[in-house]
Amino acid sequence: MPLCARVKLERHESGVVMGWKPCCLGMRLAIVLLTLALLAAGVPVVLGGLPNVGASDPVYDCSSVTSIPQAECQALVALWEQAGGSGWYDDCGWLHGDDPCAWHSVSGSNGVVCDAGHVTALRQVDNNLQGVIPAEIGNLDHIVILSMGANGLSGPIPDGIQNLTLLEELNLDGNALSGALPDALCSLVQLQFLNLNGNQFTQDVPACLGNLDHLVHLHVQDNSLTGGIPATLGNAVTLQSLRLSRNRLDGPVPSELGSLVALSVLTMGHNGLVGDLPESLTALADLELLDVTYNGLWASSDAVNAFVTARDATWEETQTVAPANLRVTGVTTSTVSLAWDAIPYAQDQGWYEVGVSEIPGGAYTSGGQTASKTDTALTVSGLSPGRTYYFAVRAFTDAHGTQQNPIWSPYSQEVSAMPGADVCDLVADVPASECQALVALYHRTEGEGWLQDDGWVQATTVGDWYGVGVSEGHVSSLSLHGNGLGGSLPQEIGNLGALEYLYLSHNQITGTIPLQIGQATSLKHLHLYRNRLGGEVPSEVGGLAVLRELKLGSNRLEGELPSTVASLPLLGDTSLDLGYNGLWAVDPTLVSFLDAHDPDWHASQTVAPTNVTATMELDTVVHLSWMPIDYVEDGGHYEVWYATDKAGPYTLHGVTSDKSAGQYALDELTPGTTYSIRVRSYTPPHGDQQNALRSGPSETVTATTYASFCDAVSELPAVECDALLALYDATQGEGWTSNGGWRATPTPCSWYGLTCENGHVDRLTLQHNHVVGSLPAQLGDLSELTWLGLYGNYVSGAIPAEVCALPNVTHVYLHNNALAGDVPSPFGANVSVLLLDYNMLEASDPNVQQYLEEKASSWDATQTLPPAELRLGDVTSSAAEILWDPIPYTEDAGSYEVLYGWSAEGPYARHGETSDKTVASYTIDGVVRPKTMYVVVRTVTEPHGEQRNRLVSRQSDPVSVPPSGSALFNAFIPLLIR
């Protein structure tokens, strides 16, 4: 490897003035030797430091460089000059010698890589680069990898980057780069990996990045990027990871991201994103890591919510969203009091702001704000009586921690109110308590959004309110079927004691059926079907003694039906509708009553399955079975949840294909662990059922996984099972061409490549099966094995002594692998066929050597071993000839690689290679030898025929080459002094 320093020699009358800045111990030694050579030649020497190197001179002259174009050389020099090369942690080799392709660190991890006369890779990771990326970087127009992460680079990415059209990897993370991401990045048409994390970039993410057809990883998190996520990123269908977290991005998540079906990582947390998560995200079936935390996002779709929650169970607890259930709780001549439900995200500084407008839908002005996000009420004052006002609420969270963005949610749903006299004080046709019940219903069910609300809370005659019937001074009927009601039913509904007809079906009413419904004792017809009501059916319904119709179907009611329902004596035979909920009944009397009045009620209930049982199957698998529910139509599935503590928390493991399934395998569990398991049923919205129904959990069952896989195996001894798993794990079994059954079933004798006899492994035949790795010693535990076939694979390392000692083996096929080292001992006495050809094996033990000659006579003629008798030939001050005896195996393509270093123990750097394996010498030139140089040789055989491995032998024993001596330096003096 060339030494490195900046050295300048100048001739003066008094002698030679020498200035330098050596960067490594080897160069310091060279400077000492050069000084001694000058003095020995009678030339006086004046020593100086780096300032004596002419400051006005070019740092490096590229005109003499022939290994790469001058423009590429100048780009490398510009990087040195503009990125503080003199302060790099490791600059050995840079700007020294006439071959920039040799400018790299001793370890080779950083520096320049060339191929075919061009720079193809440049790595300077964590090397204290300080300064800017030079515009000349665009001269490296053949570069494939540019990696300069974890430094102190600043300024923009130069536009010249657009010239790097062959670039596949651009890694600039962990710097202080700033400015906009240039559109020039979109010219990098071969780009696969773009990592700009942890810089100071601003402005928009270029939309044209979505046009990069080969992009696999796009990482721009931890910057200050603004604007929206470009919808065009959905065109980059090759993307597997997209990291956008901790920026200043805003707007919605574009639905086009659902086209990125190869994504496994998507992070968008800690931005200012606001909006409904698109349904298209559920198409990302391979997504494993999803981060949307600390934004203003929500999921109105149950499917999207389940998809996101399965990947981040607490995501909703960090979203700044509009509060729900805004309602008017009081009105005076100049004030309106409002209340709402707090959002789940109560942490971190923030508040709610009430918007006020005299026009429906705004624009809103601020009517005040709360002290925190835990406050759920505010009174707006200073209003004019007799004027209708419209109110909405939005949430705010201030910037904090790694969240750079203050976030405002959208406004909530709107409510209205008119300050002044309470309308119910002016109503005369019904009692004030009944009027107030209707006003409460109006506000709680978002009356301002009803399709029809003529007269409501305005007209002083309740009988004039749309859908209200009044008889004999009382509210007798309320018909608001299909009228756009939302919100929830108020408790005041119980004040309507004379109400006979309550028709509220085909709306979007949420919440629960109020217990106070039981106080409306005159009810004859109760229609609440096709809403979004949840919770249990209150037992108070059974007190409605004159009820003739009870219609509760197509909601999301759940739980055990109260036995009091059987006490409704006037219900007709077809006047009960409980279908399409999550209800069940246990009481025999109630069941008979329900079957008589609604015979198919139980066949449409989304309830938890019964008879759940769990059985141990493997060390990482538990088999679960249950009795499917009656309701298997209309899509859906079962969800399987598990926990290591019966009290939870429970994690979703997976779902079945449909509701007719009665079993499920929980895999990837921890061996020797007790799990608590529950099952839930799920039915999606369909037809008139607008709700996604998810049952409560089934009974909890427990199962303990086997402590090890082989504890589940009964057809083989555990020690043989362990040996097979050791082989699978040591040779990347999951990547074998065929691995049917391996680690998947407790019946090893059915696994691919295995044959058993009398309860033992008899044959192991995995030839040409992409077996990669070393043979484990545990194979020696297959005591009854007769046939070992692993040829034509990628098996490496030594042959374990335990394999040689297999007592019953008769056929051993290990040829065409990458086995290396000494064959430790003779194989078993029963071996009749032994094939070890085309490996890197040796036999130093005479007994083993004799055995192999008897069993496999030509085995040593096909081994790729280092050449013997390494020795010196002609040696000059500038070159050294290395001689050796070629190995017996000279057929098939290959070469000898020659490496050199400065210590017998290494490290060694590659100098070159021979044309083939018949060559017996090589000359090392172009290497200055300030001290003893050590040379080793290794043999290479290229893949051929059934041999799929590139075989590289161990290194030979080193041969030493003496230092060049002072004559070399005397020869160089005229070239150095000018």
Side-chain angles (χ1 to χ4, degrees):
M1 178 176 294
L3 298 173
C4 62
R6 287 196 284 165
V7 180
K8 185 173 183 182
L9 305 181
E10 294 183 349
R11 184 185 297 279
H12 288 260
E13 292 181 0
S14 58
V16 173
V17 176
M18 178 163 56
W20 74 92
K21 183 183 177 183
C23 67
C24 56
L25 181 60
M27 190 59 224
R28 294 190 182 102
L29 177 59
I31 294 296
V32 172
L33 293 173
L34 179 55
T35 303
L36 294 175
L38 290 169
L39 293 173
V43 180
V45 177
V46 179
L47 300 179
L50 183 60
N52 290 328
V53 178
S56 63
D57 292 340
V59 172
Y60 185 85
D61 183 3
C62 290
S63 62
S64 62
V65 170
T66 59
S67 58
I68 58 174
Q70 285 195 32
E72 296 186 20
C73 172
Q74 290 161 356
L76 300 176
V77 173
L79 179 64
W80 170 280
E81 291 178 323
Q82 298 182 43
S86 61
W88 293 356
Y89 295 141
D90 186 349
D91 63 354
C92 278
W94 205 277
L95 303 194
H96 185 78
D98 58 4
D99 183 7
C101 298
W103 296 353
H104 48 75
S105 62
V106 174
S107 66
S109 58
N110 276 338
V112 180
V113 176
C114 300
D115 185 40
H118 290 279
V119 175
T120 56
L122 173 57
R123 295 183 178 90
Q124 287 289 3
V125 178
D126 193 16
N127 203 27
N128 198 37
L129 275 65
Q130 302 288 335
V132 300
I133 301 174
E136 293 87 343
I137 203 75
N139 296 348
L140 303 177
D141 55 5
H142 282 68
I143 196 166
V144 177
I145 296 173
L146 178 57
S147 183
M148 298 190 292
N151 285 295
L153 294 170
S154 57
I157 296 176
D159 288 338
I161 201 84
Q162 66 186 350
N163 299 331
L164 311 186
T165 55
L166 299 180
L167 196 65
E168 296 178 3
E169 177 182 330
L170 177 58
N171 183 8
L172 299 174
D173 70 311
N175 282 286
L177 297 168
S178 58
L181 297 181
D183 287 344
L185 292 172
C186 303
S187 299
L188 308 181
V189 293
Q190 298 299 323
L191 197 63
Q192 299 178 25
F193 183 92
L194 177 59
N195 186 357
L196 303 177
N197 291 345
N199 282 284
Q200 299 169 16
F201 292 115
T202 55
Q203 301 185 43
D204 294 355
V205 177
C208 56
L209 289 177
N211 299 329
L212 295 177
D213 293 337
H214 302 286
L215 195 60
V216 178
H217 304 282
L218 174 56
H219 298 173
V220 293
Q221 65 188 27
D222 294 300
N223 283 284
S224 294
L225 297 169
T226 57
I229 298 174
T232 53
L233 289 183
N235 298 331
V237 294
T238 54
L239 273 177
Q240 295 179 15
S241 65
L242 176 58
R243 295 183 181 271
L244 303 170
S245 296
R246 294 182 291 278
N247 279 288
R248 302 181 67 87
L249 300 172
D250 55 27
V253 175
S255 62
E256 289 79 359
L257 294 189
S259 300
L260 305 179
V261 294
L263 271 187
S264 61
V265 175
L266 175 59
T267 68
M268 302 179 286
H270 292 80
N271 277 291
L273 302 171
V274 175
D276 194 0
L277 287 169
E279 187 89 27
S280 60
L281 288 183
T282 60
L284 305 181
D286 292 338
L287 197 63
E288 297 177 359
L289 174 60
L290 175 63
D291 175 18
V292 295
T293 55
Y294 298 100
N295 282 292
L297 300 169
W298 65 91
S300 59
S301 161
D302 289 326
V304 175
N305 192 303
F307 177 86
V308 178
T309 301
R311 289 154 179 82
D312 183 356
T314 61
W315 73 278
E316 290 181 287
E317 298 174 11
T318 59
Q319 304 300 322
T320 302
V321 293
N325 198 22
L326 177 63
R327 53 200 181 272
V328 176
T329 57
V331 178
T332 70
T333 56
S334 62
T335 67
V336 172
S337 296
L338 302 163
W340 55 85
D341 296 341
I343 66 174
Y345 179 28
Q347 294 75 31
D348 303 316
Q349 177 64 35
W351 55 78
Y352 300 102
E353 180 183 75
V354 175
V356 183
S357 174
E358 294 186 34
I359 303 172
Y364 299 106
T365 59
S366 177
Q369 66 184 40
T370 63
S372 71
K373 291 183 292 186
T374 59
D375 298 326
T376 57
L378 186 77
T379 296
V380 181
S381 58
L383 304 176
S384 300
R387 183 176 295 175
T388 300
Y389 290 90
Y390 299 88
F391 304 91
V393 182
R394 60 179 179 172
F396 172 78
T397 303
D398 209 348
H400 60 278
T402 56
Q403 169 56 285
Q404 311 174 48
N405 308 278
I407 299 181
W408 283 104
S409 78
Y411 279 104
S412 68
Q413 88 279 8
E414 189 178 71
V415 297
S416 64
M418 178 187 294
D422 187 334
V423 67
C424 292
D425 292 340
L426 306 176
V427 165
D429 60 336
V430 299
S433 62
E434 295 185 20
C435 173
Q436 290 163 354
L438 295 177
V439 170
L441 175 70
Y442 181 83
H443 290 308
R444 289 298 297 272
T445 59
E446 304 169 3
E448 59 280 357
W450 292 359
L451 301 179
Q452 293 285 339
D453 66 346
D454 297 347
W456 278 80
V457 301
Q458 302 292 329
T460 56
T461 300
V462 168
D464 293 338
W465 295 8
Y466 173 81
V468 178
V470 176
S471 176
E472 299 180 359
H474 293 280
V475 176
S476 59
S477 66
L478 187 55
S479 180
L480 296 172
H481 168 90
N483 198 41
L485 277 67
S488 57
L489 296 174
Q491 299 177 1
E492 292 87 345
I493 199 80
N495 295 344
L496 302 175
L499 186 67
E500 297 181 4
Y501 302 92
L502 180 58
Y503 297 138
L504 299 180
S505 59
H506 285 274
N507 286 295
Q508 292 83 43
I509 302 171
T510 61
T512 61
I513 300 173
L515 306 180
Q516 292 77 8
I517 194 75
Q519 299 171 13
T521 53
S522 298
L523 269 176
K524 297 178 181 178
H525 302 272
L526 177 56
H527 288 196
L528 297 176
Y529 60 93
R530 295 178 187 169
N531 275 288
R532 300 179 67 87
L533 291 164
E536 298 182 351
V537 175
S539 61
E540 286 76 4
V541 169
L544 302 176
V546 298
L547 197 65
R548 288 171 168 78
E549 279 191 309
L550 178 60
K551 304 286 190 177
L552 302 178
S554 296
N555 278 285
R556 49 186 179 189
L557 299 166
E558 62 183 357
E560 184 179 355
L561 282 163
S563 59
T564 56
V565 172
S567 303
L568 299 173
L570 301 182
L571 281 182
D573 289 343
T574 60
S575 57
L576 178 64
D577 175 15
L578 299 174
Y580 302 101
N581 283 289
L583 301 168
W584 72 88
V586 176
D587 182 275
T589 302
L590 176 60
V591 171
S592 297
F593 177 87
L594 297 175
D595 290 345
H597 292 81
D598 186 5
D600 297 325
W601 74 276
H602 57 83
S604 59
Q605 302 300 323
T606 301
V607 293
T610 56
N611 297 334
V612 180
T613 59
T615 56
M616 295 183 294
E617 186 166 311
L618 297 172
D619 59 332
T620 59
V621 179
V622 168
H623 185 80
L624 202 66
S625 62
W626 58 82
M627 177 71 71
I629 64 175
D630 294 337
Y631 179 32
V632 297
E633 294 78 25
D634 300 319
H637 53 245
Y638 298 103
E639 298 175 347
V640 178
W641 297 74
Y642 71 110
T644 54
D645 185 330
K646 191 172 184 178
Y650 283 80
T651 300
L652 177 65
H653 186 279
V655 300
T656 63
S657 58
D658 54 46
K659 290 183 300 194
S660 64
Q663 55 187 2
Y664 180 88
L666 289 88
D667 57 5
E668 298 183 7
L669 303 177
T670 303
T673 302
T674 299
Y675 289 94
S676 296
I677 307 168
R678 299 172 173 176
V679 184
R680 294 175 182 264
S681 304
Y682 171 81
T683 303
H686 60 278
D688 290 327
Q689 171 54 285
Q690 54 187 306
N691 305 284
L693 297 182
R694 181 175 283 105
S695 76
S698 68
E699 70 269 29
T700 301
V701 295
T702 60
T704 303
T705 52
Y706 286 105
S708 72
F709 181 96
C710 293
D711 286 347
V713 172
S714 60
E715 63 184 22
L716 288 177
V719 67
E720 294 189 23
C721 173
D722 289 336
L724 295 174
L725 295 188
L727 175 66
Y728 184 84
D729 293 339
T731 59
Q732 303 178 29
E734 65 279 0
W736 292 355
T737 304
S738 298
N739 60 2
W742 284 78
R743 265 203 180 280
T745 70
T747 54
C749 294
S750 67
W751 294 355
Y752 175 81
L754 282 185
T755 304
C756 298
E757 290 288 344
N758 301 320
H760 294 279
V761 177
D762 178 62
R763 291 191 175 201
L764 178 58
T765 53
L766 295 172
Q767 57 271 14
H768 297 301
N769 200 43
H770 204 266
V771 178
V772 181
S774 57
L775 299 178
Q778 292 96 317
L779 283 182
D781 292 327
L782 301 177
S783 58
E784 301 299 322
L785 188 71
T786 65
W787 195 293
L788 177 60
L790 291 170
Y791 59 89
N793 283 299
Y794 301 87
V795 181
S796 56
I799 298 176
E802 292 82 357
V803 172
C804 295
L806 285 167
N808 292 301
V809 69
T810 59
H811 292 71
V812 178
Y813 299 95
L814 297 176
H815 52 294
N816 284 313
N817 278 291
L819 293 164
D822 254 344
V823 178
S825 64
F827 284 79
N830 295 321
V831 171
S832 59
V833 177
L834 176 61
L835 292 180
L836 303 176
D837 308 66
Y838 302 105
N839 283 289
M840 296 177 286
L841 295 169
E842 305 174 63
S844 60
D845 184 330
N847 293 328
V848 175
Q849 201 169 52
Q850 180 180 351
Y851 172 86
L852 294 177
E853 288 173 358
E854 294 173 356
K855 294 289 186 179
S857 58
S858 63
W859 76 278
D860 54 350
T862 57
Q863 303 300 319
T864 299
L865 302 174
E869 299 298 327
L870 202 64
R871 57 197 181 275
L872 289 180
D874 294 335
V875 177
T876 69
S877 59
S878 60
E881 183 184 29
I882 310 300
L883 307 175
W884 60 80
D885 295 342
I887 67 172
Y889 177 32
T890 58
E891 294 79 16
D892 302 317
S895 61
Y896 298 105
E897 283 187 350
V898 180
L899 305 95
Y900 70 98
W902 307 107
S903 167
E905 291 77 26
Y908 287 93
R910 183 179 181 276
H911 189 277
E913 64 182 8
T914 65
S915 58
D916 57 47
K917 293 183 290 188
T918 65
V919 177
S921 65
Y922 181 90
T923 298
I924 295 181
D925 54 14
V927 179
V928 178
R929 301 196 304 276
K931 61 178 183 178
T932 298
M933 180 174 70
Y934 295 88
V935 180
V936 295
V937 180
R938 60 189 181 190
T939 307
V940 176
T941 300
E942 302 297 340
H944 60 279
E946 291 189 357
Q947 173 53 276
R948 294 147 185 220
N949 302 275
R950 184 176 189 266
L951 299 183
V952 180
S953 76
R954 64 175 175 84
Q955 295 173 355
S956 68
D957 292 334
V959 63
S960 59
V961 184
S964 297
S966 59
L968 172 64
F969 295 95
N970 289 333
F972 280 171
I973 287 173
L975 301 176
L976 296 172
I977 300 177
R978 54 174 198 189

